[in-house]
Amino acid sequence: MEPDWKPLESSPDTFTPFARTLGMAPALAFHDLCALEPWALDMLPAPPLAVVLLFPYTQAHLQFVEEQAVTLPPAPPGLFYMRQNVKNACGTIAILHALFNLASSGAEVFEPGSVLATRFEKWKGLTPEEIGSQFRADEELEKLHREAVCGGKTDAEAPVDSHFIALVEAGGQLVELDGRKQQAVAHGPTSTANFGVDCLRVIQEFMDREKGSVLFAVQALVRTG
């Protein structure tokens, strides 16, 4: 049986302090993306380095995942990818997916000696399943997640029917990182200049499958300093 954590609130007021507690560099921050139009990207203080999407975890989504698994192309090499085997840990895993893949590209995204820095080194070379097992047993990460949940404004005891994933650029591809899937999902070519617009396209595809559901939230990770 999976351990059952409490869900993170989808808000920069939760994600940014929590990620900085884990060791994210002070120059990085999460910001809400208020629309899926290109003008919304211009409202951010800087272009997105990664995107975190919260979406409805419905039967329609699960059916699509099953169909998608049959034709998935290989993911780009060198990705950091972990499997999720802890209920409601998807927010923390999305943060790890975003920051660790930026670090893999050579970006300076966390403080030396921090929780993020030590896990990044510890988990190098492990399989997604092995990383997931180590995450599940990590009492420090669970404690910090729990403290972040307590700082949110929404009811952490309410039933959860949504899920966080991360979108990153890796190897010239826009990549979806969802620990509930068998592998990372490549969504086609992208670049630093086009990454934000390409993310909007992929998120719109999620929304179209849910036939107009409004239970979506999007946060962009940006460098502000």
Side-chain angles (χ1 to χ4, degrees), residues 24-25 42 71 88 114 133 171 183 205:
M24 182 176 75
D42 296 333
T71 58
N88 295 326
S114 65
S133 295
Q183 66 170 72
E205 292 171 1

Side-chain angles (χ1 to χ4, degrees), residues 109-145:
V109 296
F110 37 68
E111 301 289 338
S114 65
V115 172
L116 291 173
T118 56
R119 300 319 185 270
F120 183 67
E121 292 300 324
K122 180 181 178 182
W123 294 343
K124 274 184 179 178
L126 299 183
T127 67
E129 290 75 18
E130 289 170 337
I131 299 171
S133 295
Q134 294 213 10
F135 176 89
R136 176 175 177 150
D138 197 315
E139 295 181 358
E140 185 177 15
L141 276 172
E142 180 182 6
K143 174 179 177 291
L144 294 172
H145 174 103

